[in-house]
Amino acid sequence: MGRDPAPATVVKPAAATGAQAAAAVLVATGVAWAAGERFVLLDLELSVRAGELLLISGHNGAGKTSLLSILRGAIAPARGQVTLAGVPLEDVAADYLANHIATLQHRPGLYFDLTGLENLALLSSLVNQPLTVTEASALLDRVGLPREAHQRRVRHYSRGMQQRTGLARVMASGAAVWLLDEPSTGLDPAGRETLSRVLRDAAAAGTAVLAISHDPELLALADRHLELRDGRLHEAA
Amino acid sequence: MTVARITWLLLKKDLRIAARSREMLGFTLLFAVLCVIVFAFGFLQEGAATAGYVPGVLWVTLLFSSSVSLLRLFAPEEEGGTLDLVSSTAAGTLPLFISKATMQLLFTGLVTVVVLPLVLLFFNTELKGFGQTAAALGLGLVGMATVGTLCSALLVHVRLREVLLPLVLYPTVAPLLISGVKVTSIALAEGEGTGDWLTLMLIFDLLFVVASPWLHGRALQR
């Protein structure tokens, strides 16, 4: 899942080198973030290692999605720092970040008026991982999207099919870090099984996977399970 | 990948989406035609629309209808949550800006092709000074598309953007609008002296074409 050359100004993530399998790729140190007047995250510490499947859970409003936004560099923390392979996110070029951190959020990151295949072809090209039609089709097969849906517009997909296609987009990115927000949303049992398999394979291939989820199947699969509570991460019971 | 390659990928995607959904062009055209009809009835004098209003009606209709398409310009990205993905390419945000501004220019260009003959027909006016009018329309549409794309991008996550877009866009393009109306008036009257107005439009176009992508890039920075 690793990819090649980084811009000269930034450091290549450990996962991409393959040299340090257990090295922390993404590290948050003393991160604090406030929603309005209220601090949601307080001096939060987190490290995600290459080849690790890390799950974070927490009650509604605990700040899980905000944490994910901070980790992917979409919002800056009020205090603290996030580093990608030792380099602060604010010093990492936007395209480099996009090439090395793939995200799946509440919206699937797809164009609704393009087909599943067209979406994968376009979005993989933008992160310098262009796919052929055969490769894109194989990826959609892997996430269990029915063949007849490959050439249908995403607008006509069910929520679960959109989620599967979004997952295929993340797989196509070749990123060293995956940040997934409730990836099993909308998936049927077969879909959740596929998701588990994909995440396990990705972690085995050296990808650092961080997922926010309450799905028991994923919790059972995780290398580590943390709970976000009172603005900090705790080892889950 | 180069700026040109990424821009082409994004533009091709937008053209494909526009061809499939047809909503943006359809609604914009419908709105423009309705505008012309309303203006034509609004300016009736002794049973006929007055020709002197043609430049104003033409430009105001183009400005209003361009706002309609601008409000939907980033809709495909918003709907599926792809804005982050297409604004962090190896070539930065420039390909996204160019592709969106080109789409807007294509839409308003098509609207102009429909609206211009319609205005002339409703206001019973003969098109004179075609070259000057075409030059003014070309410069006006380029300026409105570039600065309009910037406004649309800046307001993409803003709750009251339907209200705010005209409030930001109309004063900014006022110099283009005033100059465009002047050039069209002079051209229809077969007069002279459009050069200064066209030069003014060119100056504003250059300013908008240079500043808008830069500001767009700054606004989309993490």
Side-chain angles (χ1 to χ4, degrees), chain A residues 72-73 89 92-95 97-98 107-115 118 122 125-126 128 153 155 169, chain B residues 1 5-6 9-10 13 16-17 20-21 76-82 84-90 157 222:
Chain A
R72 69 186 178 91
L89 286 193
V92 179
D95 62 311
L97 197 62
R107 284 178 296 171
L110 301 168
Y111 283 100
F112 283 14
D113 282 309
L114 297 183
T115 67
E118 287 167 349
L122 171 70
S125 294
L126 293 181
N128 291 325
R153 277 196 264 175
R155 182 175 300 289
R169 171 184 58 75
Chain B
M1 277 199 291
R5 169 85 182 129
I6 299 173
L9 282 175
L10 295 179
K13 172 264 300 173
R16 189 173 275 165
I17 290 173
R20 282 179 186 166
S21 68
E77 281 74 21
E78 268 191 285
E79 190 179 34
T82 52
D84 282 352
L85 302 172
V86 293
S87 54
S88 48
T89 66
H157 294 306
R222 284 177 291 131

